[in-house]
Every structure is written in structure tokens, then in C-alpha cells.
Amino acid sequence: QVQFVESGGGLVQPGGSLRLSCAASGSIFRINAMGWYRQAPGKQRELVALISRGDSTNYADSVKGRFTISRDNAKNAVYLQMNSLKPEDTAVYYCNAALGSGAYWGKGTLVTVSS
């Protein structure tokens, strides 16, 4: 059974940094696009960043210039480097992977930005 597990969330002060990781477990044949999404309390889940298998990236305007998405195809993993964090970045962050069989979601990791 294919599963993706996020890690790296936690409490950080404004202006600080965190690095999120999402690692796959189970058999993986091929992963196409991968992405990070987030959901704040009372809000809908929104796209943060996407990365194709060829490393083409796309970012939400709210995080552009502060966050960097990357992937390691050999490890079936995706990462999100988060710099200059703001309180409005507080949310549960989810990784997503598009496989030939469909899309798969992690269970999420909580990021709290507060002084």
C-alpha cells in the first residue's frame, strides 16, 4: 500500500525557517507531479507549491520568494524549505503525489508561526 508521511513541522518564531519532508512508503513505480498544500483553521486547503518530475516548479503568490520546493526521485521524496515565515503561514501542511493510479495525500504536519 502506497503511503506518504510528512515530517518537520513544529513551532517557529516569525522570520524563522523550517524544512518539511514527505517520504513515500510502499512500492512506487513512478511519481509524476508532487506538491505541498496547506489548510488553516476555517479555510479551504490551498496549493502552496508544485514540482514536476522534471523539476519545473510553481508557487502560490503568498509564498513566492520565501519557500522552495524540491524532490528526490530516487528516494520518492519531496521537500519544502520555508524561510522568512509569517504568522499567516500557520496551517497543517500536506504533501500530495500524483501517480499513474491516482493522487495520494499525506496525513499532514502542523506548522505554527508565533512569537
Side-chain angles (χ1 to χ4, degrees), residues 27-57:
S27 297
I28 300 292
F29 179 72
R30 180 184 176 90
I31 302 176
N32 296 318
M34 303 186 76
W36 286 95
Y37 295 73
R38 68 186 181 188
Q39 187 168 25
K43 300 181 66 177
Q44 292 186 325
R45 189 173 299 185
E46 64 177 352
L47 173 68
V48 177
L50 286 173
I51 185 167
S52 72
R53 186 171 178 85
D55 290 342
S56 177
T57 59

Side-chain angles (χ1 to χ4, degrees), residues 14-88:
S17 298
L18 286 173
R19 183 175 175 84
L20 305 183
S21 300
C22 179
S25 63
S27 297
I28 300 292
F29 179 72
R30 180 184 176 90
I31 302 176
N32 296 318
M34 303 186 76
W36 286 95
Y37 295 73
R38 68 186 181 188
Q39 187 168 25
K43 300 181 66 177
Q44 292 186 325
R45 189 173 299 185
E46 64 177 352
L47 173 68
V48 177
L50 286 173
I51 185 167
S52 72
R53 186 171 178 85
D55 290 342
S56 177
T57 59
N58 189 37
Y59 296 92
D61 289 340
S62 59
V63 307
K64 196 171 298 181
R66 300 187 297 119
F67 292 8
T68 302
I69 188 171
S70 60
R71 64 189 290 171
D72 187 331
N73 293 331
K75 296 181 179 180
N76 294 317
V78 62
Y79 310 95
L80 186 68
Q81 179 65 46
M82 310 166 67
N83 298 327
S84 302
L85 284 162
K86 304 174 181 180
E88 50 263 45

